[in-house]
Amino acid sequence: MNKSIKVVDTILRDAAQSLIATRMTTKEMEGALDLIDSAGYYAVECWGGATFDTCMRYLNEDPWERLRTFRKGLKNTKTQMLLRGQNVLGYKNYPDDFVELFVAKSIENGIDIIRIFDALNDTRNLETAMKATKKYGGHAQAAICYTTGPVFTLDYFTKLTKEMEELGADSICIKDMAGLLTPDRSFKLVQAMRKVTDLPIEVHSHTTAGTASMSLLKGVEAGADIIDTALSPLGGGTSHPATETMHISLSEMGYDTGLDLEVLQKLAEYFAPIRDKYVNEGVLNIKMLQVEPKALVYQVPGGMLSNLLSQLTQQGRPDLYEPVLKEVPNVRADLGYPPLVTPMSQMVGTQATMNVLMGERYKLVPKEVKDYVKGLYGQPPAPISDEIRTKMIGNAEVMTDRPADHLDPILPKLREETAGLARTDEDVLSYGSFPEVAKDFLQNKYA
């Protein structure tokens, strides 16, 4: 009997985020929903991550309305979102009451699977979101942020797997945001996890360094149940392995993906002109489609590579791209090897840029980085040396318990602040996530 492998397509969220800065409109996506729904996918990752902010900030769209559109169009396919644990969809820790309502409303408006991660793999920051997902009837997928460094051994990852299972995870995802998984690492990691859990294991990797399709295949051979792919128009580069390619490869190896190749080809035809439009508008930078083996050396996610390049170009210093890239792993080591995923990738990238621009390391330290060193984001994977800590925050106290335990409930205050502006709980949550952006958006929406 063929072993079945489930496929999650990311074209509506992570693929679009990785290659075209999440600028695809709901209208452009809506036209493909019927086809997507008949393709045979296990799920479609379509919400969360940066989409929420981008909808309001750049597209003048209501992210909740987008989600309801997906729910209407995807009758046979599960919808999936990415949630940053206690950070929800923002860049800081939110109080538990906010996290719970956000999860409740996400499920109510149409989400089936919530992939929950913490940028530091601190499982204390997953607890509230996971409990809420289970409480409101969603599938709670806990995600391990995969990265490399002296502390990230197979023992480290299997311990995390067990902690996540104890928290009530329905499945576990290896989230390789930087494309650092090589085929060998993928095989050994899935094999090690398979020994300690019977939960479904999903492998998610970006093709930044050119290894992802091989890593997914080796993960499947080692016992993974689900893989993440992206339809070919937005596959490859800093995105994910192309869905059609993975389907053909796996089918020939005797695996049943459940996908219909004819439908996938029609979908590729649908999305190709949309992709070309973003190429013509200059949104899709050719650099994002190039294979970048440096990612394996610098351990930098594709989205971070593109952000660094565009920020330095805006400052008129694209010449500093290489020096900043070289400084990133040094800063990361100093900060206790945080995985480079939002918000840590932004912090490490900004700090590395400042170090290079200033010509002196840690002469200027952003507030977020100081907060991180103070323990406000959770526990770093490895200890930060006394020397670095003192240089950054002097003798300030370092928090060692769960950061959200220090946060008071925020919903009453948010409801008060949005009186006359917000008409629904969803509006309140939009405002709580991105106050300035949501204020403008809601004023226009109800004008």
Side-chain angles (χ1 to χ4, degrees), residues 308-323:
L308 280 178
L309 184 60
S310 73
Q311 282 166 11
L312 289 167
T313 306
Q314 280 164 12
Q315 290 171 26
R317 297 303 307 270
D319 55 305
L320 293 181
Y321 183 58
E322 285 291 325

Side-chain angles (χ1 to χ4, degrees), residues 9-72:
D9 205 300
T10 64
I11 191 155
L12 302 184
R13 206 287 297 177
D14 201 357
Q17 185 171 318
S18 299
L19 292 180
I20 54 171
T22 327
R23 294 299 194 275
M24 209 188 320
T25 65
T26 302
K27 199 170 188 318
E28 287 170 330
M29 299 176 190
E30 194 175 1
L33 294 181
D34 281 352
L35 272 176
I36 287 173
D37 203 32
S38 62
Y41 291 118
Y42 165 62
V44 179
E45 200 211 34
C46 56
W47 210 61
T51 61
F52 197 88
D53 179 16
T54 314
C55 271
M56 295 187 289
R57 191 186 296 266
Y58 300 113
L59 304 175
N60 194 31
E61 291 185 4
D62 189 329
W64 299 99
E65 196 50 54
R66 172 180 286 195
L67 175 53
R68 290 190 283 271
T69 301
F70 290 150
R71 183 68 289 162
K72 254 187 274 175

Side-chain angles (χ1 to χ4, degrees), residues 351-371:
Q351 187 64 67
T353 306
M354 286 183 171
N355 288 358
V356 171
L357 278 171
M358 291 284 156
E360 185 187 325
R361 306 187 76 229
Y362 308 118
K363 186 176 182 182
L364 253 187
V365 180
K367 179 186 181 295
E368 290 81 3
V369 178
K370 287 182 176 173
D371 285 348

Side-chain angles (χ1 to χ4, degrees), residues 251-315:
S251 301
E252 287 182 0
M253 292 164 70
Y255 292 96
D256 177 11
T257 66
L259 295 175
D260 183 329
L261 185 57
E262 213 174 294
V263 178
L264 296 182
Q265 286 169 325
K266 284 182 187 161
L267 278 165
E269 282 167 25
Y270 176 88
F271 281 108
I274 294 172
R275 184 238 1 247
D276 294 345
K277 183 193 105 171
Y278 289 103
V279 171
N280 296 334
E281 288 175 1
V283 177
L284 176 49
N285 184 329
I286 193 73
K287 260 191 182 309
M288 296 303 99
L289 291 171
Q290 292 166 359
V291 176
E292 187 50 278
K294 279 186 188 140
L296 294 173
V297 180
Y298 297 134
Q299 307 144 5
V300 177
M304 189 174 165
L305 287 171
S306 55
N307 280 340
L308 280 178
L309 184 60
S310 73
Q311 282 166 11
L312 289 167
T313 306
Q314 280 164 12
Q315 290 171 26

